[in-house]
Amino acid sequence: MSLLDMIGPVMIGPSSSHTAGACRIGLAARQLLGHTPEKAHLGLHASFAKTGKGHGTHLALIAGLLGFEPHDPRLPQAFQEAEKAGLHFEFQDTDLGNVHPNTAQITLQGGQTSIEVMASSTGGGIIEVIEVDHFKVSFDGFSPTLLLKYQDAYGMISRVTGLIAIDEVNIASLTCTREKRGGTALMCIVLDSGLSDYAIRKIAHIPEISWIRMLPGFKRL
């Protein structure tokens, strides 16, 4: 048992699942979009929907979308901070099916980009991102994570992992999902450390890749 298991994470708010975890869900969604969103639609499932307001879930999700960490003292004023940042948001209770009770589905828009993310807060401030743009994934956001959207083709995994190896970064896990053979696919690679800017540029220049995100990993408090 770790110290985190006994006393929980450093955070603002009453609940590690509903506050710290919710904040990290919002933060992960922001990182996947690539910048502060202009519009956000947040669907709240089960426990998030029923008890979220009392536990600060709504505030925490918006705080994460603004780039705040769970311990940020601005978290209780997240709605006011969102107004200052030009972020328009709406919440809706929704049934997301057979997923963890503390799950949110977030659709973000900003500039010319958009993203849809589904993630669960599993306890102790830990989250699991389970869908990105309807592709199944599984990562917690604490380790550096590379996500790529690309046209399914022979040798894509080899080409990407070869460039990661040249950068001398170890791969912790790798998953790929695709719409169909030869269709759009998504690769999710959890790394032991972040990639260099040079490696990210080399990967992004692979012709089949249409979208790339390098998530830096949450700070461990």
Side-chain angles (χ1 to χ4, degrees), residues 108-127:
L108 301 179
Q109 294 179 340
Q112 301 299 313
T113 58
S114 64
I115 195 84
E116 184 175 297
V117 180
M118 191 185 301
S120 306
S121 177
T122 58
I126 306 300
I127 71 165

Side-chain angles (χ1 to χ4, degrees), residues 47-61:
S47 178
F48 263 8
K50 293 176 182 177
T51 63
K53 285 186 178 179
H55 286 88
T57 303
H58 298 64
L59 287 166
L61 285 165

Side-chain angles (χ1 to χ4, degrees), residues 9-174:
V10 178
M11 65 180 199
I12 302 294
S15 166
S16 61
S17 293
H18 284 260
T19 310
C23 183
R24 288 191 173 118
I25 288 174
L27 190 56
R30 171 198 169 93
Q31 291 174 349
L32 286 163
L33 181 68
H35 51 79
T36 301
E38 297 167 3
K39 295 181 181 179
H41 177 87
L42 303 97
L44 304 183
H45 175 70
S47 178
F48 263 8
K50 293 176 182 177
T51 63
K53 285 186 178 179
H55 286 88
T57 303
H58 298 64
L59 287 166
L61 285 165
I62 298 303
L65 294 181
L66 293 171
F68 300 170
E69 297 282 348
H71 62 284
D72 195 305
R74 295 172 294 174
L75 192 151
Q77 289 79 45
F79 290 172
Q80 294 94 319
E81 295 292 335
E83 186 175 357
K84 293 178 187 177
L87 168 57
H88 303 278
F89 59 88
E90 61 179 2
F91 291 94
Q92 180 180 352
D93 295 350
T94 188
D95 184 353
L96 297 174
N98 187 27
V99 295
H100 192 283
N102 297 333
T103 297
Q105 184 180 56
I106 304 177
T107 303
L108 301 179
Q109 294 179 340
Q112 301 299 313
T113 58
S114 64
I115 195 84
E116 184 175 297
V117 180
M118 191 185 301
S120 306
S121 177
T122 58
I126 306 300
I127 71 165
E128 182 187 11
V129 180
I130 57 176
E131 277 191 16
V132 175
D133 281 343
H134 305 288
F135 288 98
K136 300 292 184 184
V137 295
S138 179
F139 65 92
D140 64 13
F142 281 95
S143 298
T145 304
L146 177 69
L147 293 105
L148 310 165
K149 200 178 291 183
Y150 60 97
Q151 198 72 18
D152 181 43
Y154 294 111
M156 281 299 297
I157 294 175
S158 175
R159 290 156 75 184
V160 172
T161 57
L163 290 169
I164 293 173
I166 291 171
D167 211 38
E168 298 184 343
V169 173
N170 196 39
I171 293 173
S173 67
L174 185 154

